[in-house]
């Protein structure tokens, strides 16, 4: 079989899959699902693809680092064995069959954490529906195959490039989760939400991290009370999708509310209604 196209949503085995794709010599297009976390720094204001990418030396969590290293490898492989590559940098993605963004959101609600808010919720963040994400992947494959036929000018090419892909409609961090919580039946009023100043929670996290560090000899980090994770809740983090619009022809399709509703309904069905799995 001639594997003309392999679109891979990869996590851990990036390197192995990249090696295989090169070795078989018949893969023409390699689309890597990267992450917006590959760029240095949490706070971002309409960051473009020129933003510096993390390296081996960066101080960051393992997920961001592995995505950054994989992305760099994938882009360096562009043009090898007649294979063109592209990286799509996604922010937190939500939709049907989503255990992560929506799943973790609902779990937080069940722990009553939806009545807490870090910061004043003016910080815009990017989100991406699974439907928009899928569209971007298909456009990327098509663009690479088209470039096999006819290479593009540097300013227009897709091969060997990275792209931010988002819903193109930033939403404050807590607003996104409130959409999920409301869809899951929550009716908490704004006045019932306790607002925690970022400095207070970051100080507390610093203490918790230190205690962990001492008692686990630096081997384990706390799961939630970590400054690197908490920073995402109160800092602006926005990315420009101009490059994706211009070069991939990416247009926004999915309706956020409908996608959140569908994702929440699916999650609740799976986890709380005892319905058949695999539905
Ligand atoms: C990727 O490879 C193709 C084919 O060799 C080449 O035309 C294109 O310029 C490369 N992209 C980058 C960013 O170097």
């Amino acid at each position: 079989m001639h594997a003309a196209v392999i679109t891979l949503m990869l996590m851990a085995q990036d390197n192995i899959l990249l090696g295989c794709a090169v070795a078989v010599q018949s893969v023409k297009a390699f689309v890597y699902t990267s992450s917006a976390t590959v760029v240095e720094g949490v706070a971002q204001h309409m960051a473009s693809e020129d933003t510096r990418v993390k390296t081996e030396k960066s101080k960051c969590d393992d997920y961001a680092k592995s995505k950054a290293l994989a992305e760099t490898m994938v882009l360096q492989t562009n043009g090898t064995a007649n294979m063109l590559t592209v990286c799509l940098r996604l922010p937190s993605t939500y939709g049907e069959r989503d255990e992560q963004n929506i799943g973790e959101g609902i779990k937080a609600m069940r722990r009553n954490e939806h009545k807490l808010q870090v910061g004043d919720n003016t910080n815009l963040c990017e989100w991406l529906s699974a439907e928009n994400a899928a569209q971007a992947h298909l456009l990327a494959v098509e663009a690479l195959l088209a470039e096999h036929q006819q290479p593009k000018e540097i300013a227009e090419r897709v091969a060997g490039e990275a792209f931010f892909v988002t819903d193109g409609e930033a939403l404050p961090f807590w607003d996104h989760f409130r959409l999920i919580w409301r869809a899951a039946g929550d009716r908490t009023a704004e006045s019932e939400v306790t607002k925690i100043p970022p400095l207070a929670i970051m100080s507390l996290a610093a203490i918790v991290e230190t205690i962990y560090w001492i008692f686990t000899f630096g081997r384990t980090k706390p799961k939630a009370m970590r400054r690197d994770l908490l920073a995402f809740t109160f800092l602006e983090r926005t990315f420009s999708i101009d490059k994706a619009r211009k070069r991939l022809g990416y247009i926004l399709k999915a309706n956020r509310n409908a996608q959140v509703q569908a994702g929440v309904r699916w999650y609740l069905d799976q986890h709380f209604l005892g319905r058949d799995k695999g539905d």
Side-chain angles (χ1 to χ4, degrees):
M1 190 188 94
H2 278 276
V5 175
I6 294 186
T7 307
L8 301 164
M9 298 276 252
L10 321 169
M11 285 285 194
Q13 285 117 15
D14 307 321
N15 189 7
I16 296 170
L17 285 163
L18 188 62
C20 293
V22 169
V24 296
Q25 305 219 337
S26 54
V27 177
K28 289 183 164 174
F30 191 99
V31 180
Y32 177 58
T33 307
S34 184
S35 158
T37 60
V38 300
V39 293
E40 286 283 14
V42 177
Q44 303 285 349
H45 177 69
M46 293 312 271
S48 78
E49 286 79 357
D50 297 332
T51 314
R52 208 153 52 87
V53 172
K54 287 175 174 137
T55 65
E56 187 77 65
K57 294 201 186 88
S58 299
K59 286 194 94 182
C60 60
D61 61 288
D62 298 340
Y63 175 78
K65 188 173 288 184
S66 70
K67 292 303 267 189
L69 297 181
E71 187 186 284
T72 304
M73 276 191 272
V74 168
L75 294 181
Q76 280 168 353
T77 306
N78 173 58
T80 310
N82 204 28
M83 180 173 85
L84 300 180
T85 68
V86 62
C87 293
L88 302 180
R89 296 177 181 166
L90 278 46
S92 193
T93 303
Y94 62 90
E96 240 176 299
R97 300 175 179 272
D98 160 21
E99 298 275 352
Q100 242 183 358
N101 185 285
I102 287 179
E104 291 302 322
I106 291 177
K107 280 192 214 155
M109 176 178 140
R110 293 175 68 86
R111 291 191 300 261
N112 240 3
E113 288 169 13
H114 62 304
K115 297 198 173 149
L116 298 175
Q117 173 185 304
V118 180
D120 58 8
N121 196 29
T122 52
N123 54 315
L124 288 171
C125 296
E126 304 284 3
W127 312 93
L128 178 67
S129 71
E131 208 172 311
N132 280 334
Q135 185 215 156
H137 282 74
L138 294 175
L139 289 169
V141 170
E142 282 166 14
L144 293 185
L145 294 179
E147 276 179 50
H148 271 283
Q149 303 300 318
Q150 179 144 37
K152 287 257 172 82
E153 307 261 320
I154 288 180
E156 286 169 18
R157 76 182 166 202
V158 170
E161 302 280 342
F163 295 85
F164 286 115
V165 176
T166 74
D167 275 346
E169 197 183 28
L171 200 65
F173 184 87
W174 300 97
D175 281 12
H176 173 77
F177 286 102
R178 293 223 168 92
L179 275 182
I180 294 171
W181 296 333
R182 222 168 298 137
D186 175 50
R187 293 293 173 266
T188 305
E190 173 94 41
S191 57
E192 296 171 67
V193 176
T194 307
K195 296 181 182 141
I196 309 167
L199 188 63
I201 194 99
M202 291 299 260
S203 312
L204 184 60
I207 296 167
V208 173
E209 283 179 71
T210 309
I211 293 171
Y212 259 77
W213 190 80
I214 293 169
F215 286 100
T216 68
F217 302 98
R219 276 197 302 262
T220 343
K221 287 181 181 168
K223 252 181 111 180
M225 268 308 225
R226 272 164 51 186
R227 283 164 295 173
D228 60 343
L229 295 181
L230 287 165
F232 283 87
T233 65
F234 61 86
L235 293 176
E236 175 181 338
R237 215 173 136 70
T238 53
F239 300 93
S240 164
I241 52 167
D242 278 355
K243 189 176 172 186
R245 284 189 210 262
K246 287 194 191 113
R247 301 194 192 188
L248 294 176
Y250 175 65
I251 42 162
L252 304 164
K253 282 194 175 151
N255 170 303
R256 168 179 276 148
N257 277 321
Q259 294 275 300
V260 167
Q261 301 275 350
V264 167
R265 206 175 313 123
W266 178 84
Y267 187 86
L268 294 178
D269 274 7
Q270 292 298 306
H271 295 272
F272 301 111
L273 293 185
R275 266 193 21 202
D276 232 357
K277 297 263 151 64
D279 164 4

